[in-house]
Amino acid sequence: MKHYRQLSLMTAILLTLPLIACGETAVPADETATATASDTTTSPSSEYTDPGIDFGGETFTVAAHVWETPWQLANYNEVFIDEENGDFLNDAIVKRTQLIEEQFNLNLDIYPIAERNKPTELVTAALAGDDVYKFGLVMSASLPTMLGTEGMLVDLNSVPTLDFTHSWWDQNAIDELNLFGVQYAALGDVNLYAKGGPVVNFFNKVMIESNGLENPYELVRSGKWTLDKMIEMATAVSRDLNSNGVPDIDDCFGFMGETDSMFYLLTGCDVRFSEHDDEKIEITIMSERSVDAIAKIADLLNDKHVTLFDGDCPAGYSNVYFEIMIPTLGNNRALFFSNNLLASLNMRDMEVDFGILPLPKYNEEQENYVSFSNTWFNDYVIIPSTNTDLERTGEVIEAMCYYSQQYVVPAFIDNAVMNKTIRDDDSGEMIELVFDTMEYDIALIFNWGGIQGTVTGMKSKSGQSYASVYEASKAAILAAVDETTEELKNR
């Protein structure tokens, strides 16, 4: 089962790229502060029509995540911001806030969610029958809990004012969250955090040149950016810089990753954990391809001379990504850094030139690149069953998606990411490719029977075949799938 998304985000990106692609210099970070949010808008869309609804000054509350994190994207409020500060993305959200509040004569407010995988506040409100928020922007990591609470979520297909054929909706994500004919959640351009969730490979351009390596952009374009090629390049640059014979954080590494890099890279190899239709959910992780790819990825992560792995970093650091990995990339001691696209906002001050690549393919015969989004930063639109104003809510959601497409998404991609962090036109092309090849997998959301762990755990099972590891967990995985299937189909 393959999905091909409507290019909602790509529409915005393609409209904002021409100035850069035609050879004009990207706006320096210190100059972007003088621009206004209106500068980031795309051309007016004929898809959207003002429904002419007046809320009479009511407060319209949206549930969204508010949490403490050093990742800069999370500092932007997804629901509303009411004061400009010269930052492109901030001011684009202000622009959207003003348009929504003026058009509908309402006041936006936020119902905060504290934890990304524990929507306790939302479940409590639903069980109590409290109509405290109209819709939510919730991380996919919290969806199993919400779906497991019977009667909590509205079938979005039952909301007559939602039209998922519009370009601001991600059709691949919508298809994946349509379970047995019920649309429990949807992903649109209003989901700002989801724009930073895709996993990419940052690379150090200086090290490419100094080591005489192939141009990675050309490898992508020619279809030769594969798992084997990435491992070959990573191995070629790795060195014991301090000559102590022991891998440590002062050495030069080819790859930097984390536990979940196991299934990030596996997804890039076009290996799906599951497929589903209106009748059944099927686990599809076991294949000759997956066994081979997992073994290669595990060998890469286990090679301490080549890979700086988050779990192998010494104790005493509060955040190894900011304190060790990003500085290592910036100091020309790491070639590849696998992380979410949102990490680019935290790399603005790096002086070294870096670029962005999609996840590598399994081999050259693989037809397409496949991109994947971290479930901890990928958020979805949901509507609680306590909502008694579905038609007007649907209109507000559509408007927020539309104005996000026009202002917020271009501000994030073109200004917050491209102009301030990425130093070449080629990486803009790579970002287009990443968003054009996004796929989603409900097995990685539900994690039935610990299926994620069967893959990530392979790092500690050197020499073992994934086939035997999966076989040991197969019964628990399938039982969990059957339980979810039975529960959802019988509602």
Side-chain angles (χ1 to χ4, degrees):
M1 182 189 304
K2 282 283 184 186
H3 308 301
Y4 293 92
R5 62 170 293 191
Q6 291 182 305
L7 304 184
S8 60
L9 181 58
M10 285 300 299
T11 300
I13 296 173
L14 289 171
L15 287 168
T16 58
L17 286 179
L19 289 178
I20 296 174
C22 291
E24 294 192 2
T25 303
V27 182
D30 57 350
E31 293 181 22
T32 56
T34 64
T36 64
S38 61
D39 294 327
T40 69
T41 183
T42 63
S43 301
S45 171
S46 60
E47 291 181 81
Y48 183 72
T49 303
D50 182 348
I53 295 174
D54 188 333
F55 277 77
E58 294 177 18
T59 295
F60 189 94
T61 304
V62 182
H65 293 274
V66 178
W67 73 94
E68 295 289 333
T69 174
W71 296 108
Q72 291 184 12
L73 183 59
N75 294 329
Y76 296 92
N77 190 311
E78 274 194 299
V79 178
F80 74 94
I81 298 176
D82 56 14
E83 185 175 344
E84 294 185 349
N85 64 8
D87 177 273
F88 257 55
L89 184 51
N90 177 92
D91 294 356
I93 298 174
V94 171
K95 179 73 171 179
R96 187 193 67 189
T97 298
Q98 293 172 342
L99 288 167
I100 294 294
E101 292 188 332
E102 291 170 5
Q103 177 176 311
F104 290 98
N105 188 20
L106 55 75
N107 296 304
L108 287 172
D109 197 7
I110 187 170
Y111 185 74
I113 311 169
E115 296 188 60
R116 286 176 283 173
N117 65 331
K118 297 178 181 179
T120 306
E121 305 92 334
L122 307 189
V123 174
T124 300
L127 294 177
D130 295 334
D131 185 12
V132 293
Y133 68 99
K134 296 305 180 185
F135 74 93
L137 304 174
V138 300
M139 294 295 172
S140 55
S142 71
L143 286 176
T145 298
M146 303 183 77
L147 289 171
T149 305
E150 186 171 0
M152 179 174 176
L153 301 180
V154 167
D155 179 1
L156 299 181
N157 288 328
S158 69
V159 182
T161 48
L162 288 178
D163 183 354
F164 293 130
T165 66
H166 283 145
S167 63
W168 45 80
W169 292 108
D170 185 326
Q171 197 59 55
N172 271 9
I174 289 170
D175 288 350
E176 192 67 15
L177 263 296
N178 188 298
L179 300 173
F180 308 112
V182 178
Q183 192 69 57
Y184 290 101
L187 195 158
D189 283 345
V190 69
N191 300 106
L192 172 61
Y193 297 151
K195 303 302 178 281
V199 178
V200 298
N201 268 12
F202 298 98
F203 74 94
N204 183 302
K205 294 171 68 177
V206 172
M207 291 184 63
I208 290 288
E209 296 175 6
S210 64
N211 287 275
L213 300 175
E214 296 172 80
N215 184 326
Y217 297 131
E218 293 304 324
L219 289 172
V220 173
R221 295 180 184 119
S222 64
K224 296 180 179 180
W225 174 237
T226 64
L227 181 61
D228 284 341
K229 176 58 69 174
M230 187 191 76
I231 294 172
E232 173 191 318
M233 295 171 73
T235 303
V237 305
S238 301
R239 293 180 180 87
D240 181 9
L241 291 183
N242 55 17
S243 302
N244 64 359
V246 179
D248 55 42
I249 60 173
D250 295 321
D251 288 336
C252 183
F253 297 93
F255 184 83
M256 296 189 297
E258 58 186 334
T259 300
D260 290 350
S261 295
M262 283 292 305
F263 64 79
Y264 296 160
L265 292 170
L266 186 63
T267 301
C269 291
D270 199 18
V271 173
R272 288 188 61 87
F273 284 66
S274 69
E275 301 280 3
H276 68 88
D277 55 28
D278 288 345
E279 297 298 324
K280 66 182 182 305
I281 299 170
E282 182 181 2
I283 298 300
T284 58
I285 182 63
M286 260 307 303
S287 67
E288 181 178 343
R289 181 193 195 97
S290 64
V291 171
D292 181 59
I294 289 171
K296 289 181 179 180
I297 298 167
D299 286 345
L300 169 67
L301 297 185
N302 278 323
D303 191 338
K304 296 183 180 183
H305 294 281
V306 175
T307 296
L308 179 58
F309 184 69
D310 63 349
D312 292 334
C313 290
Y317 292 91
S318 59
N319 189 303
V320 297
Y321 303 104
F322 302 119
E323 297 174 57
I324 296 179
M325 292 189 173
I326 290 177
T328 299
L329 185 73
N331 292 331
N332 299 323
R333 291 189 294 104
L335 179 59
F336 298 122
F337 175 42
S338 174
N339 213 290
N340 305 322
L341 180 60
L342 60 85
S344 61
L345 275 69
N346 290 80
M347 296 160 63
R348 293 177 180 179
D349 296 331
M350 278 199 341
E351 294 184 3
V352 69
D353 283 341
F354 67 91
I356 287 181
L357 301 170
L359 295 169
K361 298 191 297 182
Y362 174 67
N363 56 26
E364 293 183 29
E365 286 68 45
Q366 181 177 318
E367 183 177 356
N368 299 311
Y369 292 96
V370 178
S371 300
F372 173 79
S373 189
N374 188 324
T375 57
W376 289 90
F377 285 100
N378 207 54
D379 61 326
Y380 289 82
V381 171
I382 57 94
I383 297 179
S385 57
T386 51
N387 185 316
T388 58
D389 194 3
L390 293 178
E391 290 196 22
R392 292 200 304 174
T393 296
E395 294 286 13
V396 174
I397 293 172
E398 289 281 356
M400 290 186 74
C401 279
Y402 165 67
Y403 289 124
S404 295
Q405 182 192 69
Q406 296 295 299
Y407 297 98
V408 180
V409 173
F412 170 67
I413 298 297
D414 189 40
N415 298 295
V417 175
M418 291 187 63
N419 285 349
K420 290 189 177 183
T421 62
I422 299 171
R423 289 78 187 277
D424 58 64
D425 300 343
D426 298 297
S427 283
E429 178 188 342
M430 296 300 110
I431 292 176
E432 292 181 39
L433 175 62
V434 167
F435 280 106
D436 194 22
T437 56
M438 289 298 299
E439 291 203 10
Y440 307 85
D441 195 324
I442 57 170
L444 292 175
I445 295 175
F446 281 89
N447 194 24
W448 290 300
I451 193 171
Q452 285 188 25
T454 64
V455 173
T456 58
M458 290 301 294
K459 182 183 181 299
S460 62
K461 295 180 172 63
S462 181
Q464 293 189 45
S465 168
Y466 178 70
S468 61
V469 173
Y470 173 76
E471 192 62 32
S473 301
K474 180 178 178 180
I477 293 170
L478 296 183
V481 170
D482 289 343
E483 182 179 352
T484 297
T485 301
E486 185 73 13
E487 182 178 358
L488 296 180
K489 289 184 73 172
N490 290 332
R491 288 185 178 176

